[in-house]
Amino acid sequence: MAAQDPCPLCALREQQATLTAESIRKAAEAQPFISGLTTPAAEYERRLAACSSCPSQQGGILCAECGSYTAYRARLLKATCPYPAGSRW
């Protein structure tokens, strides 16, 4: 009898369970700086600081308002903060 392929959703859940705020931030920061696409370092740090004190941040990783990884959203130059009471950055 052949082994069944794992459920894609189960595999994703297992992978996400190993993610940490540090591992996501390192992965986001490993992306090269591209003028006009990625946020300069000082602005990126300012955005992350705003996210870290936001009541909508979940587990230091996700934005509860949009569902994105905060480290990646903050890295994108044209991304905006989706906080309902107004952008925090």
Side-chain angles (χ1 to χ4, degrees), residues 40-87:
E43 175 63 12
Y44 176 67
E45 291 299 326
R46 188 184 74 76
R47 289 180 178 195
L48 285 180
C51 290
S52 69
S53 65
C54 181
S56 294
Q57 189 176 48
Q58 295 182 333
I61 296 174
L62 293 173
C63 173
E65 304 304 327
C66 66
S68 61
Y69 292 113
T70 54
Y72 278 98
R73 187 173 190 94
R75 186 84 165 124
L76 297 173
L77 184 62
K78 294 187 180 185
T80 58
C81 169
Y83 192 65
S87 177

